[in-house]
Amino acid sequence: MRHIKLALFAILALPSALWLAAEPGVFQSSGFFAARAAAVQYTGVLAIAAMSVAMMLALRPRWPERWTGGLDKMYRLHKWLGITALIVAIVHWLWAQGPKWAVGWGLLERPVRGGVRPVPANPLEALFSSLRGTAEDIGEWAFYAAVVLIALALIRAFPYRWFYKTHRLLAVVYLVLAFHAVVLLDFADWMTPLGVATALLLAGGAYAAGIVLLRRVGTARQVTGRIAEFRYYPGVKTLETIIDVPSGWPGHRAGQFAFAMSDASEGAHPYTIASCWHPDHPRIAFITKELGDHTGRLREKLRAGQEVRVEGPYGCFTFDDDCRHQIWIGGGIGITPFVARMRHMALRGDAPDWPEGQTADLFHATDDVDEVALAKLAQDARTADVRLHVLISPRDGRLTGARIREEVPDWREASIWFCGPAGFGEALRRDFAAQGFPIEARFHQELFDMR
């Protein structure tokens, strides 16, 4: 999370510094309308910078994944940038429109204009000047559209299948706002480092918008598989789907996830991979819990032999550290990456990425019970030589940091790997931090939330 916060700060701080360097006299300007003009320019620069980076992150690029801690963290940055762009754009709109309202209401006196503005000698500047009215008008309508689309993306009750379709419209809105920014940025600023940085951001954002509109996001990392078999566990309302991927899949590590699409109208959904990888048996397993309208219908809609498009793998929740002991915590369906890890350890024996002498305790907290599923989990743990602790919440109470520390005496020297409900993970983070545990270095949490 620290890297995400640093990235967000840098994305806002760099354009701010470049804008101040391009406008050194901003603090010497006098009068309300001079301050208003500066505020409109500054907020416009910040909003388009945040939206440009958010647009590029929508392509799921590989290069920042390791630094941010995985695509799940990168998507969190994408979300924060979208919210930041929305807030700054609202401030930008208020600075642009508010004084006009104040003049109309008699609260402000309209500024005296110095006659007709001369036509710029530079033909490009003259073109931009002639387009100002158009850029202002369509930019305002694009702003309204962005507010609606970003708000829909943040509303949990809005169905994913509609979010998948409407969110793509933000690419069109971005292209309109990019035109708005190109025309209305002070022309002299294009000849400064601010102009160079803005041009690069707009070029990257426009490219990303084009890829999104052409529906080409992640296509280089997609393969087509076929459903081989199903296993349904009614007690926990969970479906395990095994997919044959005969060619093209690069392999994956335990703890990673992939996007799978079985219905083009629904779009691709992210699922943690529940199987280890073996090139002689090219299969991928996903475990999905009936938590919403889409996952609730999967058991009826999927069939053996059906084609499924799989994209990935993604994620850095891969159990990489040199601690002598690891504590694994899987809340509900968050048990999936640990199932994959145990199967990997069992298949490969002493796995080469498992340091000699390293041990693990697995805590699985669940509200639901399926004896078959729990028996398979126990078998996986025995085969991998992992100490398993199952807590059925109605019977055993809630899993807390105190209970974990009681069961694992050497917890101070261990690393913690958590996958489950975000609120549960945050409570454990605070609890262990209060005990002096090095959270930033040794508490690993998958933020499996892609909207």
Side-chain angles (χ1 to χ4, degrees), residues 79-162:
K79 178 179 179 178
W80 287 358
L81 284 168
I83 295 172
T84 300
L86 176 62
I87 294 171
V88 177
I90 291 173
V91 174
H92 174 79
W93 176 75
L94 288 173
W95 271 111
Q97 301 296 326
K100 297 178 184 178
W101 302 334
V103 168
W105 298 333
L107 301 177
L108 277 178
E109 185 176 345
R110 187 184 301 275
V112 178
R113 300 192 180 277
V116 179
R117 182 182 298 175
V119 177
N122 186 313
L124 184 59
E125 185 178 2
L127 174 63
F128 283 6
S129 181
S130 68
L131 292 172
R132 288 185 66 88
T134 302
E136 289 174 350
D137 291 340
I138 66 173
E140 182 177 354
W141 285 104
F143 161 74
Y144 299 146
V147 170
V148 172
L149 292 172
I150 294 175
L152 289 176
L154 297 173
I155 297 173
R156 293 290 180 181
F158 191 61
Y160 185 92
R161 63 183 179 276
W162 291 110

Side-chain angles (χ1 to χ4, degrees), residues 318-334:
T318 50
F319 306 94
D320 298 319
D321 66 37
D322 55 1
C323 292
R324 289 186 58 81
H325 192 74
Q326 291 185 346
I327 299 172
W328 302 345
I329 307 167
I333 195 61

Side-chain angles (χ1 to χ4, degrees), residues 17 23 41 53 117 124 139 188 195 235 241 261 265 278 379 424 446:
E23 302 286 347
Q41 284 287 304
V53 179
R117 182 182 298 175
L124 184 59
T241 307
M261 183 172 68
S265 65
H278 197 293
Q379 178 59 39
F424 182 21
E446 187 171 53

Side-chain angles (χ1 to χ4, degrees), residues 4 96 131 150 156 182 210 289 309 343 361 364 371-372 393 403 441:
I4 303 177
L131 292 172
I150 294 175
R156 293 290 180 181
V182 167
K289 188 175 178 65
R309 188 183 302 168
R343 291 176 179 177
D361 274 80
H364 177 43
E371 295 300 338
V372 175
S393 299
R403 297 183 77 161

Side-chain angles (χ1 to χ4, degrees), residues 93-417:
W93 176 75
L94 288 173
W95 271 111
Q97 301 296 326
K100 297 178 184 178
W101 302 334
V103 168
W105 298 333
L107 301 177
L108 277 178
E109 185 176 345
R110 187 184 301 275
V112 178
R113 300 192 180 277
V116 179
R117 182 182 298 175
V119 177
N122 186 313
L124 184 59
E125 185 178 2
L127 174 63
F128 283 6
S129 181
S130 68
L131 292 172
R132 288 185 66 88
T134 302
E136 289 174 350
D137 291 340
I138 66 173
E140 182 177 354
W141 285 104
F143 161 74
Y144 299 146
V147 170
V148 172
L149 292 172
I150 294 175
L152 289 176
L154 297 173
I155 297 173
R156 293 290 180 181
F158 191 61
Y160 185 92
R161 63 183 179 276
W162 291 110
F163 158 78
Y164 165 74
K165 296 172 182 176
T166 58
H167 202 58
R168 193 164 53 238
L169 296 176
L170 275 170
V172 178
V173 172
Y174 172 81
L175 292 173
V176 175
L177 291 173
F179 169 75
H180 173 87
V182 167
V183 171
L184 296 179
L185 182 68
D186 281 346
F187 190 79
D189 289 344
W190 286 112
M191 311 305 163
T192 68
L194 171 66
V196 174
T198 302
L200 291 174
L201 286 171
L202 290 172
Y207 171 78
I211 297 296
V212 169
L213 292 173
L214 292 172
R215 303 187 183 187
R216 302 292 297 172
V217 176
T219 52
R221 298 186 290 274
Q222 293 176 358
V223 299
T224 299
R226 288 187 181 277
I227 296 176
E229 56 182 291
F230 304 100
R231 296 167 189 159
Y232 184 65
Y233 305 99
V236 288
K237 297 181 180 179
T238 296
L239 178 69
E240 184 176 10
T241 307
I242 295 93
I243 301 170
D244 287 326
V245 283
S247 63
W249 185 252
H252 58 267
R253 299 183 63 188
Q256 291 190 300
F257 65 92
F259 290 84
M261 183 172 68
S262 56
D263 182 351
S265 65
E266 180 71 29
H269 286 251
Y271 304 106
T272 299
I273 300 170
S275 57
C276 59
W277 175 251
H278 197 293
D280 295 335
H281 305 283
R283 284 187 161 188
I284 298 175
F286 295 115
I287 298 177
T288 54
K289 188 175 178 65
E290 296 175 356
L291 295 173
D293 56 346
H294 172 68
T295 51
R297 297 193 307 267
L298 281 178
R299 187 160 57 102
E300 286 74 31
K301 295 183 67 175
L302 299 182
R303 64 186 186 278
Q306 180 179 346
E307 286 192 349
V308 177
R309 188 183 302 168
V310 183
E311 176 194 333
Y314 295 102
C316 298
F317 192 82
T318 50
F319 306 94
D320 298 319
D321 66 37
D322 55 1
C323 292
R324 289 186 58 81
H325 192 74
Q326 291 185 346
I327 299 172
W328 302 345
I329 307 167
I333 195 61
I335 192 64
T336 307
F338 307 109
V339 170
R341 181 62 177 176
M342 291 188 295
R343 291 176 179 177
H344 169 76
M345 292 165 63
L347 179 65
R348 296 178 179 266
D350 291 329
D353 58 344
W354 185 250
E356 184 178 356
Q358 192 175 62
T359 56
D361 274 80
L362 170 58
F363 292 83
H364 177 43
T366 178
D367 293 330
D368 305 315
V369 178
D370 187 288
E371 295 300 338
V372 175
L374 289 178
K376 290 190 67 174
L377 180 65
Q379 178 59 39
D380 287 336
R382 282 193 297 271
T383 306
D385 196 23
V386 169
R387 189 180 174 205
L388 176 64
H389 313 260
V390 176
L391 285 88
I392 312 300
S393 299
R395 181 191 70 195
D396 304 316
R398 297 294 178 184
L399 178 62
T400 63
R403 297 183 77 161
I404 294 171
R405 291 189 289 273
E406 182 180 346
E407 294 289 341
V408 187
D410 59 344
W411 60 272
R412 290 188 183 276
E413 289 72 45
S415 60
I416 298 176
W417 298 78

